[in-house]
Amino acid sequence: MTQTNTPLAELLAYQKQTEALAQVAGRLSWDQETVMPRGAADQRGEEMAAMEAVLHARRTDPRLGEWLDACEGAEVSEADAAKLRHIRRDYDRSRKIPADLAAELARVTSVAQGQWAEARAADDFAAFAPVLSRVIELRQQEGQALAGGGDVYDALLNDYEPGATATQLEAMFAEMRPRLVDLRGKVLEKPQPAGLSGDFPAEAQMAFARKLALAFNYDLTRGRIDKAVHPFSSGSGHDVRITTRTAEDDPFNCFFSTIHEVGHACYEQNIDAGYALTPLGQGVSMGVHESQSRIYENQLGRSRAFTGWIYDQMRADFGDIGVDSAEAFYAAVNRVQKDFIRTEADELQYNLHVMLRFDLERALISGDLKVADLEGAWNERFEADFGYAVPRASLGCLQDVHWSVGLFGYFPTYSLGNVYAGCLAQALRVDVPDLDAELAKGITAPATDWLRENVQRHGGLYEPREVITRACGAAPTAEPLLEYIEAKFSDLYDL
Amino acid sequence: MTQTNTPLAELLAYQKQTEALAQVAGRLSWDQETVMPRGAADQRGEEMAAMEAVLHARRTDPRLGEWLDACEGAEVSEADAAKLRHIRRDYDRSRKIPADLAAELARVTSVAQGQWAEARAADDFAAFAPVLSRVIELRQQEGQALAGGGDVYDALLNDYEPGATATQLEAMFAEMRPRLVDLRGKVLEKPQPAGLSGDFPAEAQMAFARKLALAFNYDLTRGRIDKAVHPFSSGSGHDVRITTRTAEDDPFNCFFSTIHEVGHACYEQNIDAGYALTPLGQGVSMGVHESQSRIYENQLGRSRAFTGWIYDQMRADFGDIGVDSAEAFYAAVNRVQKDFIRTEADELQYNLHVMLRFDLERALISGDLKVADLEGAWNERFEADFGYAVPRASLGCLQDVHWSVGLFGYFPTYSLGNVYAGCLAQALRVDVPDLDAELAKGITAPATDWLRENVQRHGGLYEPREVITRACGAAPTAEPLLEYIEAKFSDLYDL
């Protein structure tokens, strides 16, 4: 039994309240994106700011430092040691950022997000450039404060992916890029399979999305599915909600967004209940989180076996869907097209999108690339990697919200997640050789149980690379993902 | 322009954050009653407790005392003076209650609520009595801490209705009780009008409830209507949400609950926007709040004129509803029945319910009535006032949740609200003589505009009795309400 008056007990009790308050702030964001009356936006801004002020004060409270110091060298359990590691890292990080810099970043990125949306609507990068320059300046300052003489980009990256370095990612991407560019070239020379056609009412899509969520063992007694403009997953522990969206001519958008968010949500739901409202009670990094969403969405959800089951279900629920065999359906799900938007990209081209952003944002943060030259640099690189030209900024460097809200160092975690998913899928298939027989019946439990047991339940117990290494029995590399993509698309496109 | 570095400015900036956080806590309760996954209950308890801890710390922060002292004697606007009055009252109150008493009350009432629900389901008052005794003990201690030698019940009452005293209420109720008992006796000897019959699907009821809410000028761009087990209104300013419920055999339950909650919600929505996130930005007391909900529900919603419009609308939306004239519909809406439940009582009997509770809870708090004797005392009093006997505890002293959550001093504010509504309706009819002609067309704006202008917009600017006195041009008395009830039911029942 834990004593209640030790520095560790006091620290963890304090942290538990902070974690609970962070959950409240997250729920407020969920509310804003789903059910909030539109006239409440300004008031909500005040409410969010008040919550952030409370959380910031708690995260920089000097008592944290005293408790942490008092815990140094104490003999504690593996879990408590991990909790202390997280609290120490967050505390040190929060204390390094000057309060006025944090406030200015909050203010400028709030403005920048609005200007980005307007610039994107007007296809006018120049209108966005000044505020983007200011965001970059502030993030450079923040990165310098965090890096303490070390690499500024790495300092930013570590916010999303503790322990990762740009050098490491650069080497990984150098391996991936030529093979993906080569494959993309071959695939795009081939004839394209047909897409779906039929009647896909929004309400029927939402009902089908629920069916998919249940097929992936999302626990709806501790979650819910709503519509929102952007699909997302929100919350930890016993209240993990997802959103999806519907487009009447494109049911795959709804269905695979749902499976993707279910992957994120199941990670949160399946963390050891004993870690709830502790620093171990959330997914450990963006990269590991994305590994779960992507393996659910792609290696499982877009597999030949599982799409066969979806095909039958869709024909039962929607009637004629315009393709007449499970194989044609599988090809339609995995169609590779000349397109420009990262979030809609197929598995083959997706990582090329990320690498482009990674290289450009590193250059922006280092100062090697000026904001004025960003649009040109983007378009040149895009054509080199994708083989076709960007027609306008909204399909190019204005497509993502990330930079406007200051998210530099975030993009590469998407590809890291894909790489991790590749490793996990390989290990999973070794441990569960008859997986496809189950997937073909719409049963994902052998896979989701394996992921819960080997990855999800650990929450923040291990560092990101460590949890993947433990699950796979080897350090992660890009090779399994590349082999998977090459095999899948060579087969699909008769290469 | 307000200076930003004065004690007043610092105090109001601090208070604004506190108000914003209180809105967040309120939204969390709304979420819990409407959309929260059922498995999230325990985690939500932790989240609510963390929010309460933050709010309690802010409300007892010694800096409040320093700022308030520094503002003493300063020349400030009427609104700022009112803000200071509210902050001072809340601060003094919070500081008077020992932290361990507050914590124990929170713990015991949480347990008591569960035990009350079980006892009610089992019709077993004895099972609830021990925990109720404990709640009363703690509330007595709290009242003593607050009263500082003064009247303990008044100290509790003032939490909900600042400035009200039990002596004042007692005199008012002494005037009301014999006249209502007498009228009730005469009415119950008369034949009862028929009720509705027809097909009232839940979804159609909700659609109709929206129509009613809009007829009362509820602003849905700053609000929303959802289903919940109990109807309630939640939030202030630009985000004021209501809930209602549906029973397929009783559409009036849904419709008049909706109008009632719309009254509460419109009060919040119509407060001067400049008071948002200040202590003036909410309804000033429970009594004044209830005056708005009751005048919307009863003097307007259950009037002959407006029910004529509802009758036409219901026949259009639901077809045959089992009554064949507007007059029969009006009688059905206002039917007086032998019933036991306060929340379902007609206008005539409602206040008899409240007076019964007021007398019993005063006796419980003073110690004159023992918990062991409560059920007997309730049943005896009920038969004296209502003329028929309580068959079981769930229809008697176990029907309301209030005492289990420690709400002593709350019940009389319901009747005070009815009395205020009576006064307001009288003044309104003088100022808007052709009101019925508009109500008969489903147009409530002459009434709701008058209420916004004379009551709602002031928020917390004036003390409760003062805002009613200003609106009516005279201090409130029970006479207008009694005359209204006597006239209405004498007419309906041919007395």
Side-chain angles (χ1 to χ4, degrees):
Chain A
M1 192 168 158
T2 314
Q3 285 183 283
T4 57
N5 55 352
T6 64
L8 178 61
E10 286 180 11
L11 172 59
L12 293 181
Y14 185 86
Q15 184 68 24
K16 183 177 177 181
Q17 276 202 338
T18 307
E19 300 282 349
L21 294 168
Q23 289 297 312
V24 174
R27 208 90 60 227
L28 214 54
S29 295
W30 173 87
D31 184 278
Q32 185 165 337
E33 302 297 327
T34 52
V35 295
M36 186 182 82
R38 61 187 161 81
D42 288 351
Q43 180 172 324
R44 179 55 55 89
E46 299 285 350
E47 294 167 8
M48 294 287 281
M51 286 299 294
E52 282 309 316
V54 167
L55 284 166
H56 180 77
R58 293 183 70 93
R59 286 170 178 152
T60 55
D61 190 318
R63 283 179 297 172
L64 285 175
E66 292 162 20
W67 282 318
L68 284 165
D69 290 347
C71 292
E72 287 289 334
E75 280 218 19
V76 296
S77 67
E78 182 185 28
D80 284 347
K83 291 173 196 168
L84 289 170
R85 190 174 67 238
H86 283 280
I87 298 171
R88 167 64 77 187
R89 188 155 59 203
D90 294 346
Y91 176 69
D92 287 349
R93 183 179 186 286
S94 300
R95 302 272 294 182
K96 279 182 189 160
I97 302 169
D100 53 354
L101 176 59
E104 179 70 356
L105 253 168
R107 198 190 63 73
V108 171
T109 53
S110 166
V111 172
Q113 214 177 324
Q115 293 192 8
W116 163 77
E118 283 172 29
R120 187 177 67 154
D123 261 315
D124 180 5
F125 177 71
F128 176 55
V131 76
L132 177 59
S133 297
R134 182 70 186 134
V135 171
I136 291 170
E137 251 173 56
L138 293 169
R139 283 289 271 163
Q140 283 168 333
Q141 288 173 29
E142 191 181 42
Q144 281 154 9
L146 291 168
D151 187 86
V152 172
Y153 185 84
D154 281 356
L156 300 176
L157 170 65
N158 277 222
D159 218 16
Y160 315 111
E161 199 67 26
T165 67
T167 308
Q168 196 182 48
L169 292 170
E170 197 175 29
M172 190 177 83
F173 291 157
E175 195 190 335
M176 295 167 72
R177 188 175 168 203
R179 285 167 68 175
L180 293 173
V181 167
D182 177 61
L183 183 62
R184 181 269 303 152
K186 290 177 183 153
V187 163
L188 286 183
E189 283 170 9
K190 290 282 186 165
Q192 287 300 319
L196 297 196
S197 61
D199 188 23
F200 308 105
E203 281 318 297
Q205 287 191 38
M206 289 302 288
F208 200 87
R210 280 180 83 86
K211 191 185 287 191
L212 289 170
L214 292 171
F216 279 93
N217 305 308
Y218 176 47
D219 180 356
L220 277 164
T221 69
R222 298 185 292 137
R224 50 180 293 134
I225 308 178
D226 295 271
K227 271 210 223 187
V229 175
H230 301 290
F232 65 90
S233 165
S234 160
S236 296
H238 292 277
D239 195 347
V240 189
R241 307 176 184 186
I242 67 164
T243 65
T244 188
R245 60 182 166 199
T246 56
E248 301 230 338
D249 61 343
D250 182 10
F252 288 156
N253 190 315
C254 172
F255 299 164
F256 289 97
S257 291
T258 299
I259 300 174
H260 181 96
E261 299 308 332
V262 161
H264 283 302
C266 287
Y267 185 10
E268 295 291 337
Q269 286 191 331
N270 290 337
I271 293 171
D272 186 326
Y275 298 162
L277 301 181
T278 80
L280 310 188
Q282 303 112 50
V284 71
S285 73
M286 295 299 146
V288 177
H289 237 300
E290 194 72 5
S291 77
Q292 301 306 293
S293 59
R294 294 298 267 183
I295 196 171
Y296 278 55
E297 177 190 356
N298 290 335
Q299 280 90 349
L300 302 173
R302 288 192 167 96
S303 67
R304 179 177 268 122
F306 193 74
T307 56
W309 179 79
I310 301 183
Y311 175 65
D312 290 338
Q313 298 295 315
M314 278 191 73
R315 288 206 304 172
D317 290 9
F318 296 95
D320 180 9
I321 58 172
V323 295
D324 57 4
S325 73
E327 191 60 25
F329 183 83
Y330 174 56
V333 165
N334 290 289
R335 191 154 64 149
V336 178
Q337 288 182 292
K338 289 189 181 175
D339 205 346
F340 304 93
I341 300 296
R342 177 186 55 82
T343 58
E344 293 167 11
D346 50 80
E347 288 180 77
L348 199 174
Q349 296 181 98
Y350 187 89
N351 293 298
L352 293 174
H353 279 281
V354 172
M355 292 173 209
L356 177 159
R357 287 155 181 76
F358 170 70
D359 286 333
L360 294 182
E361 72 177 15
R362 277 181 81 197
L364 286 168
I365 291 295
S366 72
D368 289 347
L369 176 63
K370 300 293 163 215
V371 169
D373 301 325
L374 174 60
E375 187 172 15
W378 179 293
N379 292 348
E380 193 178 315
R381 166 70 177 260
F382 189 90
E383 194 157 358
D385 281 4
F386 290 79
Y388 45 96
V390 174
R392 52 185 185 274
S394 61
L395 295 177
C397 64
L398 283 179
Q399 70 180 264
D400 294 306
V401 71
H402 299 56
W403 289 336
S404 77
V405 291
L407 292 175
F408 288 84
Y410 190 104
F411 278 122
T413 70
Y414 289 130
S415 280
L416 197 57
N418 287 331
V419 164
Y420 289 166
C423 299
L424 292 169
Q426 186 184 54
L428 164 67
R429 292 224 167 243
V430 171
D431 285 0
V432 188
D434 60 346
L435 181 60
D436 282 335
E438 296 300 301
L439 291 178
K441 292 181 273 184
I443 295 168
T444 67
T448 57
D449 285 354
W450 189 94
L451 289 166
R452 187 187 61 225
E453 182 61 24
N454 289 286
V455 178
Q456 297 171 353
R457 71 183 172 93
H458 297 307
L461 184 64
Y462 305 119
E463 291 294 288
R465 271 181 77 88
E466 190 185 352
V467 72
I468 303 297
T469 304
R470 280 173 171 263
C472 301
T477 74
E479 194 55 34
L481 176 71
L482 291 168
E483 286 173 14
Y484 156 78
I485 290 175
E486 285 165 348
K488 178 171 185 171
F489 290 93
S490 295
D491 169 47
L492 271 162
Y493 283 88
D494 292 320
L495 301 183
Chain B
M1 192 167 159
T2 314
Q3 284 183 281
T4 56
N5 54 353
T6 65
L8 178 61
E10 286 180 12
L11 173 59
L12 294 181
Y14 185 85
Q15 185 67 24
K16 184 177 176 180
Q17 275 201 339
T18 307
E19 301 281 350
L21 293 168
Q23 289 297 312
V24 174
R27 208 90 60 227
L28 214 54
S29 295
W30 174 87
D31 184 279
Q32 184 165 337
E33 302 298 328
T34 53
V35 295
M36 186 183 84
R38 63 186 160 80
D42 288 352
Q43 180 172 324
R44 178 56 55 90
E46 299 285 350
E47 293 168 9
M48 293 287 281
M51 284 301 292
E52 283 308 316
V54 167
L55 284 166
H56 179 77
R58 293 183 71 93
R59 287 171 178 152
T60 54
D61 191 318
R63 283 180 297 171
L64 285 175
E66 291 162 21
W67 283 318
L68 284 165
D69 290 346
C71 292
E72 287 289 334
E75 281 217 19
V76 296
S77 67
E78 183 185 26
D80 284 347
K83 290 174 197 167
L84 288 170
R85 191 174 67 236
H86 283 280
I87 298 170
R88 167 64 77 186
R89 189 155 59 203
D90 293 347
Y91 176 69
D92 288 347
R93 184 180 185 287
S94 300
R95 302 272 294 182
K96 279 182 188 159
I97 302 169
D100 52 354
L101 176 60
E104 181 69 357
L105 253 168
R107 197 189 63 74
V108 171
T109 53
S110 165
V111 172
Q113 215 177 326
Q115 293 192 9
W116 164 77
E118 283 173 28
R120 187 177 68 155
D123 261 316
D124 182 5
F125 176 71
F128 176 54
V131 76
L132 177 60
S133 297
R134 182 70 186 135
V135 171
I136 290 171
E137 251 173 56
L138 293 169
R139 283 290 270 164
Q140 283 167 334
Q141 288 173 29
E142 190 181 42
Q144 282 154 9
L146 291 169
D151 187 87
V152 172
Y153 184 83
D154 281 355
L156 300 176
L157 171 64
N158 277 221
D159 218 17
Y160 314 110
E161 198 66 26
T165 67
T167 308
Q168 199 182 46
L169 293 170
E170 197 175 29
M172 191 177 82
F173 290 158
E175 195 190 336
M176 295 167 72
R177 189 176 167 205
R179 285 166 68 174
L180 293 172
V181 168
D182 178 60
L183 183 62
R184 180 269 302 151
K186 290 176 185 156
V187 164
L188 287 183
E189 283 170 9
K190 291 281 187 167
Q192 287 300 320
L196 298 194
S197 62
D199 189 22
F200 308 106
E203 280 318 297
Q205 287 191 38
M206 289 301 288
F208 200 86
R210 280 181 84 87
K211 191 185 287 192
L212 290 170
L214 292 171
F216 278 92
N217 305 307
Y218 177 48
D219 180 356
L220 277 163
T221 69
R222 299 184 294 138
R224 52 181 290 134
I225 308 177
D226 294 271
K227 271 210 223 187
V229 174
H230 301 289
F232 65 89
S233 166
S234 159
S236 297
H238 292 277
D239 194 346
V240 189
R241 308 176 184 187
I242 67 164
T243 64
T244 188
R245 60 184 166 197
T246 56
E248 301 231 338
D249 60 344
D250 181 11
F252 288 156
N253 191 315
C254 172
F255 299 165
F256 288 97
S257 292
T258 299
I259 299 174
H260 182 96
E261 300 308 332
V262 161
H264 283 303
C266 287
Y267 184 11
E268 295 292 335
Q269 286 190 332
N270 290 336
I271 293 171
D272 186 326
Y275 299 162
L277 301 181
T278 80
L280 312 188
Q282 303 111 50
V284 71
S285 73
M286 294 300 145
V288 178
H289 237 301
E290 194 73 6
S291 78
Q292 301 307 292
S293 59
R294 293 298 266 183
I295 196 170
Y296 278 54
E297 177 190 357
N298 291 333
Q299 281 90 350
L300 302 173
R302 288 193 167 96
S303 66
R304 180 177 267 121
F306 193 74
T307 56
W309 179 78
I310 301 182
Y311 175 64
D312 290 339
Q313 298 295 316
M314 278 192 74
R315 288 205 304 173
D317 290 9
F318 295 95
D320 180 10
I321 59 173
V323 295
D324 56 7
S325 74
E327 192 58 26
F329 184 82
Y330 174 55
V333 165
N334 290 288
R335 192 155 62 150
V336 178
Q337 288 181 293
K338 289 189 180 175
D339 205 347
F340 304 93
I341 300 296
R342 176 185 56 82
T343 56
E344 293 168 10
D346 49 81
E347 288 181 77
L348 200 174
Q349 295 181 98
Y350 187 88
N351 294 297
L352 293 173
H353 279 282
V354 172
M355 292 173 208
L356 177 161
R357 287 156 179 76
F358 170 69
D359 287 333
L360 295 181
E361 73 179 13
R362 276 182 81 197
L364 287 168
I365 291 294
S366 72
D368 289 347
L369 176 63
K370 300 293 162 214
V371 169
D373 302 324
L374 174 60
E375 186 171 14
W378 179 294
N379 292 347
E380 194 178 315
R381 167 70 176 262
F382 188 90
E383 194 157 358
D385 282 3
F386 290 79
Y388 45 96
V390 174
R392 52 183 185 275
S394 61
L395 295 177
C397 64
L398 283 179
Q399 69 180 265
D400 295 305
V401 71
H402 300 57
W403 290 337
S404 78
V405 289
L407 293 174
F408 289 85
Y410 190 105
F411 278 121
T413 69
Y414 289 130
S415 281
L416 198 57
N418 287 331
V419 164
Y420 289 165
C423 300
L424 292 168
Q426 188 184 53
L428 164 66
R429 292 227 167 237
V430 171
D431 284 0
V432 188
D434 61 346
L435 181 59
D436 283 334
E438 295 301 300
L439 291 177
K441 291 181 273 183
I443 295 168
T444 68
T448 57
D449 286 354
W450 189 93
L451 290 165
R452 186 186 62 227
E453 182 60 24
N454 290 285
V455 178
Q456 296 171 353
R457 71 182 171 94
H458 298 307
L461 185 63
Y462 304 119
E463 291 293 287
R465 271 181 77 85
E466 190 187 351
V467 73
I468 303 298
T469 303
R470 281 173 170 264
C472 301
T477 74
E479 194 55 34
L481 177 70
L482 290 168
E483 286 173 15
Y484 155 78
I485 291 175
E486 285 165 349
K488 178 171 184 171
F489 290 92
S490 296
D491 169 47
L492 272 161
Y493 282 88
D494 292 320
L495 301 182

